[in-house]
Amino acid sequence: MKPAVKRIGVFTSGGDAPGMNAAVRAVVRTALHHGIECIGIRRGYHGLISGDFVKLDFESVSDTSRRGGTMLYSARSKEFMTEDGLDKAVATCKMLGLDALVGIGGDGTFRGLLTLANKGISVIGIPGTIDNDIACSTYTIGYDTASNTALESIDRLRDTMKSHERCSVVEVMGHRAGHLAMSVGISCGATVVLTPENELDYDRDVVEPIRRARLAGRTHFMVIVAEGVPGGAYDVAQKIKEALALDTRVTILGHVQRGGSPTARDRMVATYMGHAAVHLLAEGKTCRVVAMKGDDVVDYDITEALNMTKGLEKYGLEVLSDMTGI
């Protein structure tokens, strides 16, 4: 069957996530397999406005899936949010002869794609963010790698905390979502895990779990704080010190969680999603977001996807409650 598109563009936008390169690779190679030409747009919407592009072929994406970051770079563009910037982006699509765009990123990326769709551009979104906060998808590219990176750092911290009988307060990324904190907290056996989704009561959620752990014989404590928690890790650490007179140290893991070679899971999910995105375009479908529903690859209308909501996984919360006693 002849594909509905002849030339497509692919770009990454917003925060980078391990596995984005694997998604780009899958888009390019699937497109070439169907006789579709593929153009890489560098620096996200900023590059789309300025016409920063590169022609991608089979060899140009070889050996990229194992690399962290994004080979197409990423940037945020305030200009794209203006009518003039949007018109420039549409003009670039016309100048390059692009029949469609594949955007890899988070909700902001999808909102940008929707504005382009309203201007007549065919678009497909792929969820790529370490925060795992895309409501329409149970899993997002980069989440597993970021979780493992944070876990490795926390395991190292635990060794030194045990040696000095300290309380370690570790802030992990996640923007306004606690998925990463919950995953890491369960995996490392944290004493306390704080997420922005749950209303915080310091006595109940922080002081008492640490006190119970000390009464049980533990002399070191690991507190995981999602970056969206009010006050952040430093405020939490100060209150712990005041309430329990503990030697408390703060570690902000920061952007180290975005880096590193993607895990097998991130490479595979990214490849599946990139493959599915091209197939949707080849079939003439547009304005869709590729997503994971359990282990299955599905797709949703972008507007429907943006209107969905996503809380912390209920079973994870139950496990966390039983493990920490909160």
Side-chain angles (χ1 to χ4, degrees), residues 51-229:
D52 186 0
F53 69 94
V54 59
K55 190 172 181 179
L56 299 173
D57 56 25
F58 191 92
E59 186 59 31
S60 65
V61 294
S62 295
D63 197 34
T64 57
S65 62
R66 66 181 178 87
R67 300 176 189 170
T70 164
M71 61 179 286
L72 294 177
Y73 309 107
S74 186
R76 303 185 190 278
S77 175
K78 291 184 178 180
E79 185 180 1
F80 181 76
M81 299 177 186
T82 68
E83 193 65 27
D84 183 57
L86 181 58
D87 289 341
K88 288 179 181 178
V90 172
T92 297
C93 292
K94 292 180 178 179
M95 182 269 291
L96 296 178
L98 300 180
D99 297 314
L101 284 171
V102 176
I104 306 166
D107 280 341
T109 301
F110 300 160
R111 290 189 182 93
L113 290 174
L114 182 58
T115 61
L116 288 169
N118 292 334
K119 291 284 187 177
I121 307 295
S122 293
V123 298
I124 300 291
I126 296 176
T129 168
I130 67 169
D131 303 336
N132 199 32
D133 61 349
I134 303 301
C136 68
S137 190
T138 54
Y139 186 84
T140 62
I141 297 168
Y143 177 58
D144 188 58
T145 306
S147 295
N148 279 281
T149 299
L151 185 61
E152 181 180 356
S153 299
I154 289 165
D155 284 345
R156 292 172 183 266
L157 275 171
R158 190 184 289 278
D159 291 340
T160 185
M161 290 299 109
K162 289 171 67 176
S163 299
H164 294 276
E165 297 187 355
R166 288 171 176 160
C167 176
S168 183
V169 179
V170 181
E171 184 174 290
V172 300
M173 296 182 85
H175 195 38
R176 293 185 295 271
H179 304 282
L180 192 59
M182 186 173 75
S183 169
V184 169
I186 291 173
S187 300
C188 78
T191 311
V192 173
V193 180
L194 303 180
T195 64
E197 289 88 348
N198 296 322
E199 187 176 349
L200 178 59
D201 180 309
Y202 271 96
D203 285 337
R204 180 195 65 199
D205 301 332
V206 181
V207 174
E208 281 306 312
I210 293 175
R211 183 173 285 137
R212 284 197 298 271
R214 182 67 187 93
L215 289 170
R218 183 168 291 274
T219 57
H220 62 281
F221 315 95
M222 185 64 66
V223 177
I224 306 299
V225 181
E227 65 179 343
V229 170

